[in-house]
Amino acid sequence: MSALFQNYARRPIAIESGKGTVVYDTVGKKYLDFTSGIAVCSLGHANPKLAEAIKQQSEKLWHISNLFESPMQEKLAQTLVENTHLSHAFFCNSGAEANEAAIKLARKHTGKHHIIVFEQSFHGRTFGAMSATGQDKVRNGFGPLVSQFTTLPFNDVAALENAIDDSVAAIMLELIQGEGGVNAVTEEFAQAIQTICDEKGILLIVDEVQTGIGRTGTRFAYEQTVLKPHIVSMAKGLGGGFPIGGILGVAELFDTFNAGTHGTTFGGNPLAVAVAQTVVDIVFEPAFLQNVQQLSAYFVEQLQTHLPSTFSVQGKGLMLGIYCGGEDVAPFVPKLDEAGLLTVSAGPKVIRLLPPLTVTKDEIDEAVAILKNTLSVNFV
Ligand code: PLP
């Protein structure tokens, strides 16, 4: 019997090593990794620049408390804010923690506690983040949740307008729901949110844990919408495989997180920051992001050409989902594994494709061929 809690439905594959988009299991079988550790290893496995960054840092300083100044965190924060309309950063270790920080910041700043969230969202597994998550399967069984989260249907303008009153501190959402099915916010809904936030002085929290740091073809996904969030949470791709999370906030929030209000021992750890700095320096280069957009366009076109016409492709950048004409996709993910393509489902009906942002066209071709063979056979 395993000495591990069985809280993950693990697949019977043990990955031992990887290079770029390719990984190998313990019996030497090769796979194309179109999960990237669920949108984490955005620069591919064993990226030499990230390996060098962590090697150099590991020979200098592994950890120092946030009791002391951190020029490295200052630099990473500066890089992030220079690339956004946001002014300040706080670093932590994961997406859930980033969302906890966002929720705490919004509540403390406004003095209000009510936060609007959406069905099928996913914000993490800690109590606050779980309470913000619009999926019963994530929330059930843990007793009373953190109160004052109202869950509304996603992309429903009328429901949102009806729910707004003076008690609302913030609206919190993902711009493409990742775990919930690769569902993108509509332009109409984004416009309604921005109007409500502007008119009512409500804070906008955008969870970019999965969509951020180049995943959707821009630095952050909100850049492709009319939205100007007050708080952005991030994690996953920020560390390229090393755990780090964080939030960015607008200038008016600066005084709210003052000394002693929030913190974490490991947040902004030197090893994590050394890697994250290397990641953002690479990913935020316009040519890099342009290449992601070109790869995305090519990938979508190939999928549309080769998959059955009842299928549709959702998502943006290299965060794509295949909706298989309403079929349940759970049986097909293991078949794709067997054929050498690692994917991850998003809700019951969508196969999610999250290759490293460094994926090549040849690898996309190989993945599309596997998808075509595996899915068409099963769906004909
Ligand atoms: N927010 C979003 C949008 C996510 O996709 C996830 C993880 O899948 C999280 C938050 C939670 O992040 P973590 O698992 O690092 O706590």
Side-chain angles (χ1 to χ4, degrees), residues 243-297:
I244 181 169
I247 56 166
L248 300 173
V250 291
E252 69 195 77
L253 299 170
F254 181 66
D255 290 333
T256 304
F257 262 180
N258 50 17
T261 49
H262 190 60
T264 155
T265 298
F266 290 118
N269 163 285
L271 292 169
V273 171
V275 181
Q277 184 72 52
T278 311
V279 170
V280 294
D281 286 346
I282 294 171
V283 171
F284 285 2
E285 275 296 319
F288 184 94
L289 291 167
Q290 208 178 359
N291 189 49
V292 174
Q293 289 164 21
Q294 281 164 1
L295 289 166
S296 170

Side-chain angles (χ1 to χ4, degrees), residues 165-196:
D165 61 27
D166 287 344
S167 71
V168 178
I171 298 172
M172 176 170 182
L173 80 161
E174 300 158 82
L175 300 182
I176 303 176
Q177 293 183 330
E179 304 308 304
V182 195
N183 310 315
V185 70
T186 61
E187 270 178 46
E188 188 200 5
F189 198 57
Q191 186 59 68
I193 290 174
Q194 191 58 45
T195 304
I196 287 169

Side-chain angles (χ1 to χ4, degrees), residues 38 93-99 121-126 129 133 174 176-179 207-211 233 235-236 244 319 352:
I38 317 192
N93 311 287
S94 69
E97 269 185 68
N99 285 328
S121 62
F122 185 80
H123 298 296
R125 303 278 188 169
T126 53
T133 291
E174 300 158 82
I176 303 176
Q177 293 183 330
E179 304 308 304
D207 178 344
E208 295 249 18
V209 166
Q210 194 159 152
T211 52
S233 58
K236 289 188 181 279
I244 181 169
M319 179 176 178
R352 202 168 7 157

Side-chain angles (χ1 to χ4, degrees), residues 333-367:
V333 174
K335 291 199 166 73
L336 291 167
D337 288 351
E338 231 173 270
L341 178 66
L342 302 181
T343 61
V344 56
S345 58
K349 308 283 181 197
V350 172
I351 296 171
R352 202 168 7 157
L353 304 166
L354 300 161
L357 306 180
T358 50
V359 67
T360 65
K361 272 191 171 176
D362 286 349
E363 288 164 343
I364 290 176
D365 288 344
E366 222 183 301

Side-chain angles (χ1 to χ4, degrees), residues 19-340:
K19 188 80 198 144
T21 309
V22 172
V23 291
Y24 296 91
D25 70 11
T26 44
V27 292
K29 180 169 169 165
K30 176 184 159 190
Y31 303 83
L32 282 176
D33 181 9
F34 274 45
T35 68
S36 303
I38 317 192
V40 169
C41 305
S42 39
L43 296 180
H45 294 279
N47 181 294
K49 288 189 177 141
L50 301 190
E52 186 54 31
I54 205 159
K55 179 173 178 287
Q56 280 190 15
Q57 187 57 42
S58 75
E59 288 164 359
K60 272 203 281 192
L61 183 73
W62 283 44
H63 182 78
I64 192 77
S65 167
N66 284 310
L67 288 171
F68 303 101
E69 283 189 1
S70 174
M72 292 177 69
Q73 282 186 33
E74 294 283 352
K75 183 175 172 202
L76 180 59
Q78 192 59 34
T79 307
L80 290 163
V81 301
E82 274 170 6
N83 278 279
T84 64
H85 63 285
L86 300 142
S87 305
H88 302 288
F90 161 78
F91 295 111
C92 54
N93 311 287
S94 69
E97 269 185 68
N99 285 328
E100 290 294 330
I103 293 163
K104 285 177 72 175
L105 182 57
R107 279 186 165 205
K108 189 158 192 295
H109 184 76
T110 59
K112 299 177 183 178
H113 310 132
H114 183 183
I115 298 182
I116 305 264
V117 292
F118 298 97
E119 287 171 7
Q120 302 313 318
S121 62
F122 185 80
H123 298 296
R125 303 278 188 169
T126 53
F127 255 94
M130 172 176 70
S131 304
T133 291
Q135 301 190 49
D136 286 344
K137 69 172 191 215
V138 174
R139 295 186 299 209
N140 283 351
F142 297 103
L145 299 172
V146 176
S147 65
Q148 301 202 32
F149 286 97
T150 296
T151 308
L152 300 179
F154 191 47
N155 282 331
D156 185 333
V157 173
L160 177 64
E161 284 171 352
N162 286 337
I164 298 298
D165 61 27
D166 287 344
S167 71
V168 178
I171 298 172
M172 176 170 182
L173 80 161
E174 300 158 82
L175 300 182
I176 303 176
Q177 293 183 330
E179 304 308 304
V182 195
N183 310 315
V185 70
T186 61
E187 270 178 46
E188 188 200 5
F189 198 57
Q191 186 59 68
I193 290 174
Q194 191 58 45
T195 304
I196 287 169
C197 288
D198 287 344
E199 285 176 1
K200 307 276 182 192
I202 290 171
L203 293 182
L204 175 60
I205 303 171
V206 171
D207 178 344
E208 295 249 18
V209 166
Q210 194 159 152
T211 52
I213 320 293
R215 176 53 57 187
T216 68
T218 46
R219 292 163 294 192
F220 291 95
Y222 75 79
E223 293 171 44
Q224 297 174 56
T225 71
V226 296
L227 295 170
K228 279 262 174 302
H230 299 92
I231 304 172
V232 168
S233 58
M234 57 198 169
K236 289 188 181 279
L238 178 60
F242 200 94
I244 181 169
I247 56 166
L248 300 173
V250 291
E252 69 195 77
L253 299 170
F254 181 66
D255 290 333
T256 304
F257 262 180
N258 50 17
T261 49
H262 190 60
T264 155
T265 298
F266 290 118
N269 163 285
L271 292 169
V273 171
V275 181
Q277 184 72 52
T278 311
V279 170
V280 294
D281 286 346
I282 294 171
V283 171
F284 285 2
E285 275 296 319
F288 184 94
L289 291 167
Q290 208 178 359
N291 189 49
V292 174
Q293 289 164 21
Q294 281 164 1
L295 289 166
S296 170
Y298 179 73
F299 197 3
V300 171
E301 182 210 304
Q302 291 301 305
L303 289 169
Q304 283 168 343
T305 308
H306 293 289
L307 292 181
S309 59
T310 49
F311 288 22
S312 55
V313 181
Q314 311 173 167
K316 287 201 174 119
L318 292 173
M319 179 176 178
L320 297 175
I322 306 173
Y323 175 78
C324 301
E327 294 290 332
D328 236 319
V329 299
F332 303 110
V333 174
K335 291 199 166 73
L336 291 167
D337 288 351
E338 231 173 270

